Every structure is written in structure tokens, then in C-alpha cells.
Amino acid sequence: MRRSILLVLLISVATALESAQPAPAAGNSLGLPPLPHDETGMAAQARVRLGHKLFMDTRLSHNDTMSCAMCHVPEQGFTSNEMRTAIGFAGRSLRRNAPTLLNVAYVQHLFHDGREFSLENQIWGPLLSADEMGNPSMGYVIQRIQSLPDYQGLFQAAFAGHGPSADTMGQAIASYERTLLAGDSRFDRWRYGHDQHALSAQEMAGFRLFAGKAGCVACHTIGEDSALFSDERFHDTGIGWASSMHAADPAREVQLAPGVSVTISDSLLQSVSEPPQSDVGRYEVTLDPADRWAYRTPTLRNVALTAPYMHDGSIATLAEVVEFYDHGGIDNPLKDPLVHPLHLTAGEKASLVAFLQSLTGQDVAALVEQARGKAER
């Protein structure tokens, strides 16, 4: 009898959850490979809705001010456009740029240095980071969720009777993040949908450069049936090396707010700020000296939405990114040989930028609406 009552209660909670929170986006898969995880079926949908609720909830941070969505802003390509690096716990500047979560379901090595291998585990990094969400322990976060009345029964409905735990929290947020699929760009309709009118002449010229003279495809790979625009490997372009090894400029540009910067002396900046955090990239994971200042190749899908660029957000626009690679990056002893001067003309650079702007998926607007439309606490 008790089991029957419990089953009825769980079904009721699942039904309420289905009506109260957004359903997972279907996503048009043109240009994307098959998903490595199945997020269909009633139980999976309950996990997605629960994960969405957690993703948007500021109560997951130690002082109730930060949610996952505050560094991975839906309207900003599920990253943070406003500053080079997002603002974290208690106003702290984070060390690295927030990667986009669009199509994160396909990422094999998470974070810029590739230190995590699954979305389920990845979520605990930001939750426990003193600079991000500031929680003292896993147990503290789990106990907090257990104490909140509006979460009562939701985990049990999504996970066959199991309550909040490190595993179920990770699975729920990962399930939601895997629905953030944004394929079916104009490039996809041209290459994989065989619509010869989907791209302009300039964009097609940009693709030929991307795959040919510019050599971008060596790292931002394109397959015959799909394209993730990343080789999932780690490369040194010189940016990390320059930040670590170059002497500071006498005058430094400091961003105060979106679109607002000032130039001050380096000595003044050092007198009023903490020393910059060291960052040696992939080396922090492998301890292999050859991996110093190497960072994971990011996807280029939806790249027009996800400025600023590079692991530290140091390049503001796509045109500046193309200029950086045209100059061959920044020379250093470990720079990847794939990064070399390209000798592009001004017209070729413009064509490359136009091509990159064709990679925005048509589903992004729906994903944003879904994220914001019914995000109830």
C-alpha cells in the first residue's frame, strides 16, 4: 500500500514539474552528430526540468547571489559578453572567459584546460570554487537543496525515488545542458542541406579560405556529415605565454564596465589590486612541460554570439581574432606550428568574418526563451 501511495505521489510531482517548467528543446540536428546521451522519455524530461531549475537558481551559491546562468547568460550565447572574464562570487574577477554551453553535450574535455570529462562532474567545479559560487563543500550544497521546500519531491520524481545528492544534482544539471543544441545554421543548410542559396558569395569565399589558405580547419574540424568545429585538442597560440612571461606594459587598459575602459599606469594598478592569477593552461592538468599555455580548441558554432574570445577574453571581436591569426599568433618556444602568418588580404579577412557569422544556429532564440520563460523558483 505504501509503495502504491509513493508511486502516485511521484507521478503527481512529475506531472506538476512537467506543467510548471519548460520542456527540453527539440533542437534541429542538421550539422550536428547524433547525441552521445539520450535525454528523451518521461524520466529524462523530469531530469531536464529539474536541471533547468537548478541552473537558474541563485540559492546554489553560498550567499544567494550567483546562479549558473549569471556566467552562462542565455541572451549572451550562454557565455558572458560584457567583460573579458565573468564576475564571480562577491564581485571577484574570474581567471578565464566563460565558455559557451551551446552544444556542450559534445564536448569531451571540459574547461579551457580540459580537466573534467563529464558534465555530471563538471558542475561541482564552479559550485565549490571560492571565486565562482563560493560553497564550502558538496555536503553543504546538498543539505541546502534538501532544506528548500520547492525542491521537495522533485529529485525523487526525476530519479526513481532518490533525493538530492552529488550524483543526482550533477545528472540533473547535465541533462538540462545537453538540451542546449544549436545546429541548423545557414552554413549547415548550405553544406549538409544542399541549399546553394543559404550562403552569400562572400560567405562561400570565406569558407574556402577557412578550409584552404587560412588553414582554420586544421583545428576547427569539419566532417562529411556533421561539424563541431573543434579537434578537442590543446594548442598554444601565444596568448597565455605572453600574459605569463612578458613584462607588464607601463600603461595598462582596465575595463571598468561593458564598453568602458581607462588607461592607467601599471604601478598604480598593482598598488590597488591583487597580483594576477597564474595560468599555464593544460600543464595544470598533465604536469607535462610541453603543455604549458595550451588551451582547448573551442567550437566555432554560434561564435558570433560568444564574444569576447580566447581563454582569457582578451580579443573583443571576430575581426580582431582573424587579425591575430593572420599575424601568426604570438611567437614563443612552445607555439603550435599550426599557428603561422597567413598573409590574408583585407577582403579575405572580411570574407572569413562573414563566414564565421553564418555559423549561428536557428534554435538559439528558442533556447533563450525556454531558459527565461518559465524559470520558477
Side-chain angles (χ1 to χ4, degrees):
M1 176 67 73
R2 289 182 179 178
R3 288 184 178 178
S4 299
I5 294 173
L6 177 60
L7 180 60
V8 170
L9 288 173
L10 291 180
I11 292 173
S12 299
V13 170
T15 302
L17 188 57
E18 183 172 357
S19 62
Q21 301 211 30
N28 192 314
S29 61
L30 184 63
L32 297 176
L35 276 172
H37 294 79
D38 180 16
E39 297 296 348
T40 60
M42 181 177 294
Q45 290 184 20
R47 291 194 297 271
V48 169
R49 294 185 181 94
L50 176 58
H52 169 261
K53 180 178 174 69
L54 291 164
F55 185 87
M56 305 299 291
D57 197 336
T58 60
R59 295 172 299 177
L60 264 67
S61 66
H62 197 196
N63 62 357
D64 294 354
T65 63
M66 296 292 298
S67 70
C68 304
M70 293 179 70
C71 288
H72 300 281
V73 185
E75 294 84 356
Q76 298 178 21
F78 286 85
T79 179
S80 180
N81 299 154
E82 295 169 335
M83 305 287 281
R84 290 183 177 183
T85 62
I87 302 301
F89 187 79
R92 293 170 181 161
S93 295
L94 301 185
R95 185 170 65 147
R96 295 174 180 164
N97 176 259
T100 180
L101 294 183
L102 293 172
N103 300 316
V104 73
Y106 300 101
V107 177
Q108 300 171 21
H109 302 95
L110 296 151
F111 296 105
H112 289 289
D113 55 19
R115 65 185 181 271
E116 280 292 357
F117 305 96
S118 76
L119 285 172
E120 287 81 358
N121 292 335
Q122 180 273 332
I123 67 129
W124 288 103
L127 285 171
L128 300 181
S129 169
D131 289 341
E132 296 185 60
M133 300 182 82
N135 289 294
S137 69
M138 283 187 181
Y140 179 90
V141 180
I142 295 165
Q143 186 178 59
R144 181 73 190 281
I145 294 298
Q146 289 173 336
S147 72
L148 295 172
D150 52 311
Y151 280 98
Q152 296 303 308
L154 300 188
F155 280 86
Q156 290 81 356
F159 294 102
H162 296 285
S165 68
D167 288 339
T168 56
M169 284 190 64
Q171 289 175 46
I173 296 177
S175 291
Y176 170 64
E177 291 177 338
R178 290 192 179 105
T179 69
L180 302 177
L181 303 176
D184 196 23
S185 67
R186 289 189 298 107
F187 166 76
D188 295 316
R189 295 197 291 275
W190 176 74
R191 181 173 176 84
Y192 302 115
H194 310 292
D195 178 358
Q196 296 306 305
H197 302 290
L199 294 186
S200 69
Q202 184 186 39
E203 291 163 344
M204 286 188 279
F207 172 70
R208 290 191 293 271
L209 288 163
F210 185 92
K213 178 180 177 180
C216 313
V217 74
C219 299
H220 298 283
T221 51
I222 297 174
E224 290 299 317
D225 301 312
S226 61
L228 295 178
F229 290 94
S230 174
D231 60 2
E232 284 288 332
R233 297 177 65 186
F234 302 85
H235 303 275
D236 172 7
T237 67
I239 287 181
W241 175 85
S243 297
S244 297
M245 304 299 287
H246 275 191
D249 294 331
R252 300 279 295 276
E253 183 182 69
V254 177
Q255 185 180 14
L256 301 179
V260 180
S261 297
V262 297
T263 300
I264 63 175
S265 68
D266 183 66
S267 59
L268 176 59
L269 180 63
Q270 291 189 34
S271 72
V272 297
S273 63
E274 297 179 352
Q277 301 178 64
S278 65
D279 190 343
V280 286
R282 181 67 172 164
Y283 171 80
E284 297 178 9
V285 179
T286 66
L287 301 183
D288 182 346
D291 287 335
R292 286 172 294 169
W293 307 297
Y295 299 89
R296 178 175 58 84
T297 304
T299 180
L300 295 183
R301 285 192 171 276
N302 308 291
V303 70
L305 307 177
T306 60
Y309 304 105
M310 306 311 208
H311 73 277
D312 59 354
S314 59
I315 300 184
T317 68
L318 286 175
E320 291 171 1
V321 171
V322 170
E323 196 69 40
F324 173 81
Y325 283 110
D326 184 56
H327 282 89
I330 300 173
D331 287 336
N332 70 88
L334 296 176
K335 189 182 79 169
D336 196 300
L338 291 172
V339 181
H340 55 79
L342 303 176
H343 309 294
L344 300 174
T345 68
E348 288 173 332
K349 294 173 188 176
S351 293
L352 262 181
V353 171
F355 166 69
L356 294 172
Q357 291 171 335
S358 78
L359 301 180
T360 302
Q362 73 165 3
D363 297 314
V364 175
L367 293 172
V368 172
E369 183 179 353
Q370 179 196 44
R372 293 297 189 191
K374 297 181 181 179
E376 297 180 356
R377 281 181 55 163

